[in-house]
Amino acid sequence: MSLPNPVDYAVPAFVTLVLVEMIIVHRAHRARYEPKDTLTSLSMGLGSTIAGALTAVTILAMSGFLNAHRLLDIPYAWWAWIACFVLDDFNYYVFHRTAHRVRWFWAAHVNHHSSQHYNLSTALRQTWTGFFSLGFVFRLWPLLLGFPIPMLLFCGGINLIYQFWIHTEVIGRCPRWFEAMMNTPSHHRVHHAVNPRYLDRNYAGVFIVWDKFFGTFENERDDEQIRYGIVKQLGTFNLLWSVFHEWAGIGRDLWSAPWRAKLKYVVGPPGWSHDGSRETSDMIRNRWERKSWTNSTSLSSAADRVEALPQDASAKEANTASA
């Protein structure tokens, strides 16, 4: 059976919805779109499409090899479609989590996170080096089970299309039942945030239940404004630097690092350094949690002292503490 690439049919809708969002936010939230940033995102999307076309034959050849060694012959039945889609989404979760935890894969994936704006054009900010990083291998192995190649590729396309609409601030929160099961704009805003509490959270593609099951879920809070981008912001709209800056960083580290540390600069977490001069996301979060705990403990201690004092003395103590 031959199936079309659903993403090809979705592209006109992508462009239309970006334009609609621009119109919606133009008056009240003009800062949500920055022309140079949007142009960079669109250019990265175009480059990613070209890179995908250039490597498609090789990926199809690999897919054919895996399918030729399949264990079963899974039919195009309704249950097979459901199983394939759920399995592909789980594989996306594993890939996505790895892409944030292993620098080699992060070097390709960081492109998607490098914008300090969060809008539908950010969804099109895709990698040019996904094939080089071998990130695609996470989602091809079901072919060994016997899922047909067209079915797996079609499900992957639907997964990608679904993820487009969640890149927006125009939509607040969805109905509670939907937020409980599915990835939504609220959940994905958390994923794109650089606030310490939000780092490396909500990796889901379609079903947010993966994050809840594996302990990587974090709710969006109304009392904390989200800051987007990457921990060390690029500070430029240069297209080539946006695409290749992390690969260049890996090259510099491999050149200058001692031999015992070179491999860790490739397979270790982003931000790792042999001399402790940088911070990983875990280190940033741990430091923030310690600071938050210290602050909350200090406030609790001050409140306890006030309660223990006589009424006139407690007023004096409270005034001193507030000063």
Side-chain angles (χ1 to χ4, degrees), residues 50-65 131 136 140:
I50 295 172
L54 293 176
T55 58
V57 173
T58 303
I59 292 179
L60 286 175
M62 293 179 181
S63 300
F65 175 82
F131 178 82
F136 59 88
L140 290 185

Side-chain angles (χ1 to χ4, degrees), residues 278-295:
R278 310 174 198 172
E279 287 185 304
T280 65
S281 59
D282 286 341
M283 295 166 66
I284 294 172
R285 181 182 294 105
N286 290 338
R287 175 166 52 82
W288 169 79
E289 288 176 345
R290 288 194 301 269
K291 182 178 179 180
S292 299
W293 183 85
T294 301
N295 291 340

Side-chain angles (χ1 to χ4, degrees), residues 7 98 109 117-118 138 144-145 163 169 221 247 250 252 296 312 314 319 321:
V7 178
T98 305
H109 184 62
H117 298 267
Y118 191 75
F138 287 85
L144 287 172
L145 297 179
Q163 292 187 52
E169 293 183 293
R221 296 171 60 105
W247 293 111
I250 290 177
R252 286 194 304 269
S296 63
D312 56 342
S314 64
N319 291 334

Side-chain angles (χ1 to χ4, degrees), residues 14-34 38 119-121 168 170:
F14 290 167
V15 175
T16 301
L17 289 173
V18 169
L19 294 175
V20 170
E21 186 185 45
M22 284 182 175
I23 295 172
I24 292 174
V25 305
H26 177 70
R27 290 188 176 181
H29 306 284
R30 184 175 298 183
R32 289 183 181 177
Y33 270 92
E34 205 288 332
T38 302
N119 51 58
L120 291 177
S121 74
T168 184
V170 172

Side-chain angles (χ1 to χ4, degrees), residues 306-317:
V306 170
E307 291 178 1
L309 292 172
Q311 185 173 1
D312 56 342
S314 64
K316 182 178 179 180
E317 176 87 357

Side-chain angles (χ1 to χ4, degrees), residues 55-91:
T55 58
V57 173
T58 303
I59 292 179
L60 286 175
M62 293 179 181
S63 300
F65 175 82
L66 294 175
N67 187 250
H69 294 82
R70 64 190 179 275
L71 299 175
L72 303 168
D73 286 308
I74 298 177
Y76 285 91
W78 65 268
W79 58 264
W81 280 101
I82 295 174
C84 185
F85 187 81
V86 173
L87 181 57
D88 179 67
D89 192 57
F90 170 73
N91 289 337

